Amino acid sequence: MYRKKRITAVVVAAVLLAVLGGCVNKFNAAGYTKALLDVTYKNETEQYIELTGSTQEAADEIFTKSLDATMEDYEKLNLPDELEKNYRQLFGDLMKSVRYTVSEAKEDDNGNFTVDVSVEPITIFDDTYSQFQEKAKEYATQVSNDVMNGAEMPSEEEMQNHIYDIYYHILNEVLEQGLSYGEAEKVTVHINKGEGDIYEIPKEDMTALDDKMLSREVLQ
C-alpha cells in the first residue's frame, strides 16, 4: 500500500547547493548536514538559508519537491481530489515528525568528513498493517454480501478509492494520537571534497539515511 518514493535526487541537489557556502570559511560538515535534513524533511529553513545564502523561495522548494516525490505514486492512482489532498497532508506531517540526531563531524587527512546520524524510525506502517488488513477484509466481505443480495458490483476504481480511504483514516488516527518510534539506528554520512572545494554527500549515503526514517518491515 505504501510505496515510498526516493527523495534522494532532491537531497543530492540540495547538497550541491548547500556546500557552496563552505568554500569561503571552514566547512561545518555537521552543521550543513543537519541544516540540509531540517529543510528537506521538516521545512525548517532558517539555518539552511543562513549557512548557504539561499533564498527563502529556494529553501521552501526543497521540502515541496521532497513531498512531491513521496506523492508521485499516489497521484498516478487518480484518487479523488480530497483524498489525495489528505494523503499529501499526512505524508507532510510524517516527514516533519522524523527524528534524527547529527553528531560531530570527523575530518580525515584529505579534507573529507564523516558524520554519524542517529535515526529513530517512525513505526506507523508496521503498527497499523494488521488493522488495515482486517478492515480491508471486512470491506471485501461487505461488498460480497451486498452483491449476493442484489446490489451492483462496485467498479475497481470505487473499491480502490475506498481501500485507500480506509488506510488513510487508520494512519491519520495514529498520527493524531501520537507516533511511535523504533530503536535508534546509526547511518554514517560521508561528505567528500570535490573539485573547487565543493563538498558532496554520495547518493547511496542519502538513500541509506532516507530508508531509516520510516520503518516498513511489514511491507517488504
Side-chain angles (χ1 to χ4, degrees):
M1 179 63 69
Y2 175 75
R3 287 172 286 176
K4 189 174 189 300
K5 199 71 178 178
R6 292 282 185 269
I7 64 170
T8 305
V10 178
V11 174
V12 170
V15 171
L16 294 175
L17 174 63
V19 297
L20 294 179
C23 301
V24 178
N25 300 309
K26 175 67 175 179
F27 181 58
N28 181 357
Y32 276 107
T33 301
K34 185 177 186 305
L36 177 60
L37 295 177
D38 288 347
V39 74
T40 301
Y41 289 99
K42 299 177 178 292
N43 199 25
E44 295 177 359
T45 61
E46 183 176 355
Q47 189 68 7
Y48 179 81
I49 292 172
E50 180 180 335
L51 291 174
T52 66
S54 172
T55 65
Q56 183 68 55
E57 181 180 6
D60 288 336
E61 188 69 10
I62 295 172
F63 177 80
T64 299
K65 287 183 177 180
S66 297
L67 186 52
D68 288 344
T70 301
M71 283 297 298
E72 187 173 315
D73 284 342
Y74 286 81
E75 291 171 353
K76 293 177 182 178
L77 294 171
N78 295 317
L79 298 173
D81 290 344
E82 186 65 24
L83 184 55
E84 185 177 308
K85 180 181 177 181
N86 287 342
Y87 267 105
R88 186 177 183 86
Q89 180 66 50
L90 173 75
F91 287 129
D93 290 341
L94 285 176
M95 286 173 60
K96 292 177 181 179
S97 299
V98 297
R99 289 183 181 176
Y100 48 80
T101 303
V102 180
S103 300
E104 291 297 319
K106 298 177 182 178
E107 185 176 6
D108 65 19
D109 294 337
N110 297 318
N112 301 316
F113 295 86
T114 56
V115 177
D116 287 339
V117 181
S118 177
V119 179
E120 297 176 53
I122 296 174
T123 59
I124 186 171
F125 298 105
D126 297 341
D127 296 341
T128 59
Y129 191 66
S130 294
Q131 183 183 2
F132 165 67
Q133 286 185 309
E134 181 180 342
K135 292 292 185 182
K137 184 177 180 180
E138 289 176 0
Y139 172 63
T141 300
Q142 175 192 327
V143 170
S144 178
N145 290 338
D146 290 346
V147 170
M148 290 180 62
N149 290 326
E152 183 177 351
M153 182 72 177
S155 68
E156 183 175 338
E157 181 180 9
E158 289 173 330
M159 289 188 288
Q160 170 192 269
N161 291 344
H162 191 84
I163 288 294
Y164 274 89
D165 187 64
I166 288 173
Y167 201 29
Y168 164 74
H169 282 93
I170 291 173
L171 294 172
N172 192 58
E173 182 178 2
V174 172
L175 181 63
E176 291 180 345
Q177 291 178 349
L179 294 169
S180 296
Y181 295 80
E183 293 186 8
E185 300 181 54
K186 183 181 75 173
V187 177
T188 299
V189 176
H190 298 80
I191 304 101
N192 299 325
K193 188 176 183 180
E195 294 184 7
D197 289 340
I198 295 178
Y199 292 86
E200 298 178 87
I201 297 178
K203 183 177 179 179
E204 56 267 26
D205 286 3
M206 296 309 301
T207 298
L209 186 60
D210 190 48
D211 284 345
K212 298 296 184 184
M213 296 293 180
L214 289 167
S215 176
R216 301 173 303 281
E217 292 183 5
V218 298
L219 304 181
Q220 295 175 349

